[in-house]
Amino acid sequence: MFMTGRALSGVTLLAGLLAGCGGGSPAATTPPTASPSPTASPSPTAPASSVAPPTPTRDFALPKDCDDPRLTAAMGALIKGKKFDKRYDAAANVTCAWGKKIPTTSVTIALPAAKPKYEDFPEVETPELTALGLKAQAGGSEIGVGDRSLYNQVFVVIAPQFRLTVDQMSEERRDDDLREAAIAITTWLTS
């Protein structure tokens, strides 16, 4: 197999279509509020509970099992009919892969310290993830094989405690299924 001239245009087309899925512009961020100085006296009209206590952060642990029902349910449309192939473990990430022949699907859940699998994909607006304060990236490539095309598609979620990558190699585009799987897994991991 070799990449044709269509591969570059496929990446551009795929990124454009995925970016169009969420529409709109990137979410605006609010600037941090200034802390009162230690010498400032509190306002007599300000309620005592005006400052919220810090939210405790829970330790994040990588999933122990690729057969976890929450993971397989989230990957449902992408792995339907494919047998689990292999789990790949590294110091700071775990990858679960389904299918030995195309189509193949995998999900990688990594700690923030792990080297990203994909770094240069464009950011895409995904309202469900934006509501959680998370960023998403999407991209891929098209490989021409004779008169057929093979798509390698990727959807990445960047959270403070993990980075999630859902990817698939298939003869058909699966933009919505990739996005929906990533949202479902992220919802599980952040709950």
Side-chain angles (χ1 to χ4, degrees):
M1 286 194 318
F2 59 94
M3 291 186 67
T4 66
R6 290 192 304 173
L8 183 56
S9 65
V11 170
T12 305
L13 175 65
L14 180 60
L17 288 173
L18 286 173
C21 289
S25 61
T29 57
T30 56
T33 57
S35 305
S37 70
T39 58
S41 60
S43 167
T45 59
S49 63
S50 64
V51 177
T55 305
T57 57
R58 67 177 179 96
D59 290 332
F60 181 79
L62 294 171
K64 294 181 177 17
D65 189 5
C66 290
D67 288 332
D68 186 301
R70 297 166 294 188
L71 180 62
T72 55
M75 294 292 288
L78 292 171
I79 63 173
K80 185 176 182 180
K82 295 180 201 73
K83 292 188 178 190
F84 175 72
D85 181 33
K86 194 168 186 178
R87 176 182 165 118
Y88 302 90
D89 286 286
N93 68 50
V94 61
T95 299
C96 300
W98 291 267
K100 291 187 178 188
K101 296 181 182 177
I102 293 172
T104 60
T105 301
S106 68
V107 59
T108 300
I109 302 168
L111 299 176
K115 183 177 181 347
K117 275 176 87 171
Y118 304 97
E119 294 181 88
D120 56 350
F121 288 141
E123 199 168 308
V124 293
E125 179 86 16
T126 307
E128 299 90 341
L129 298 173
T130 302
L132 296 171
L134 307 178
K135 292 193 300 184
Q137 296 173 299
S141 60
E142 177 184 359
I143 302 168
V145 182
D147 60 348
R148 295 173 21 197
S149 292
L150 186 62
Y151 299 96
N152 180 30
Q153 295 177 257
V154 181
F155 196 93
V156 179
V157 177
I158 303 165
Q161 63 272 49
F162 64 87
R163 186 176 44 258
L164 171 72
T165 305
V166 180
D167 54 16
Q168 182 175 52
M169 177 86 62
S170 177
E171 290 186 39
E172 62 181 288
R173 294 194 43 171
R174 304 288 297 272
D175 305 66
D176 292 337
D177 292 335
L178 284 164
R179 185 182 69 249
E180 294 305 317
I183 291 168
I185 295 169
T186 300
T187 302
W188 163 49
L189 293 174
T190 56
S191 62

